[in-house]
């Protein structure tokens, strides 16, 4: 399912909004989550899962192609943990 | 950030009734869950992909008792952030 298919399916269920409005809400939802994660906040959706940011320290690495030593900068990476409800549902 | 905060943000951005927005947000997550439950991949461009992966059974050990156990085969949900999201996370103010 792509984002546009998600918009289609949600529109089919929701009578209060036009498809265009649902599209705005879907975009706004993922933007809000991205913004929150970018601020380093945790995002917790009950029944679905939670997203959080982990800090990775910089480390010495090597370019596997040239064998050259390079420094890998510290970075932040997003993690997702599935919620209990979804874990159970996909295993039924 | 919780679901209620997400509803609040959307409400601030678009101004529709909070109750109606909450309904749509609920529907968005149920739709994603239903899709994954059916074994379908969910691709949200600009955010990331949700996938269901099948894990085969493997031998494990109870770390508390040391007893050998079999970890049953199961399905797990995974998320892979898009490049756009990864970039946004690393350019955020620290």
């Amino acid at each position: 399912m792509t984002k546009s298919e998600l918009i289609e399916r949600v529109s089919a269920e929701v009578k209060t909004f036009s498809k265009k409005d649902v599209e705005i809400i879907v975009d706004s939802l993922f933007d809000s989550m991205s913004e929150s994660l970018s601020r380093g906040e945790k995002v917790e959706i009950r029944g679905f899962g939670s997203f959080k940011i982990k800090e990775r320290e910089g480390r010495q690495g090597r370019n596997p192609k040239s064998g050259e030593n390079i420094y890998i900068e510290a970075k932040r990476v997003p993690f997702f943990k599935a919620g209990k409800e979804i874990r159970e549902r996909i295993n039924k | 950030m919780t679901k209620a905060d997400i509803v609040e943000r959307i409400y601030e951005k678009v101004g529709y009734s909070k109750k109606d927005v909450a309904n749509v947000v609920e529907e968005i997550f149920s739709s994603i869950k239903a899709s994954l439950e059916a074994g379908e991949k969910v691709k949200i461009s600009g955010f990331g992909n949700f996938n269901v992966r099948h894990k085969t059974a493997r031998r494990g050990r109870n770390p508390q008792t040391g007893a050998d156990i079999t970890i049953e085969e199961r399905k797990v949900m995974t998320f892979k952030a898009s490049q756009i999201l990864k970039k946004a996370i690393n350019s955020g103010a620290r």
Side-chain angles (χ1 to χ4, degrees), chain A residues 90-91, chain B residues 36 39-41 50-56 73-79:
Chain A
I90 59 176
N91 276 294
Chain B
L36 291 166
E40 207 183 8
K41 202 176 186 172
F50 295 98
N51 218 335
V52 174
R53 284 181 51 199
H54 185 260
K55 294 224 173 188
T56 52
E73 69 171 316
R74 70 213 151 99
K75 287 178 190 155
V76 292
M77 175 182 169
T78 59
F79 171 69

Side-chain angles (χ1 to χ4, degrees), chain A residues 1-3 5-6 9-10 13-14 16-17 21-22 24-26 28-39 41-48 51 53 55 74-78 80 82 85-87 89-92, chain B residues 1-3 6 9-10 13-14 16-17 20-21 23-25 27-37 40-47 50 52 73-79 81 85-86 88-94:
Chain A
M1 178 169 77
T2 61
K3 194 167 74 178
E5 285 164 345
L6 172 66
R9 291 181 201 182
V10 172
E13 296 298 320
V14 174
T16 38
F17 290 109
D21 289 333
V22 169
I24 292 169
I25 295 172
V26 167
S28 182
L29 180 144
F30 290 108
D31 285 350
S32 304
M33 284 169 58
S34 300
E35 285 161 18
S36 183
L37 289 168
S38 299
R39 286 193 298 269
E41 287 172 24
K42 187 175 177 183
V43 176
E44 232 177 317
I45 312 295
R46 196 158 309 158
F48 187 76
F51 298 86
I53 303 296
E55 305 271 349
K75 62 181 171 191
R76 304 200 294 187
V77 288
F80 174 74
E85 187 203 326
I86 187 90
R87 279 204 308 264
R89 277 177 63 178
I90 59 176
N91 276 294
K92 258 190 284 176
Chain B
M1 173 180 249
T2 61
K3 225 182 311 189
I6 293 176
R9 293 292 155 75
I10 297 173
K13 283 183 190 176
V14 301
Y16 307 130
S17 123
D20 289 341
V21 169
N23 260 331
V24 179
V25 168
E27 199 55 50
I28 292 167
F29 288 111
S30 341
S31 185
I32 296 174
K33 282 190 271 191
S35 185
L36 291 166
E37 194 179 356
E40 207 183 8
K41 202 176 186 172
V42 177
K43 299 196 271 191
I44 309 296
S45 70
F47 189 75
F50 295 98
V52 174
E73 69 171 316
R74 70 213 151 99
K75 287 178 190 155
V76 292
M77 175 182 169
T78 59
F79 171 69
L85 178 59
K86 284 184 193 168
I89 286 168
N90 279 289
S91 63
R94 338 186 44 168

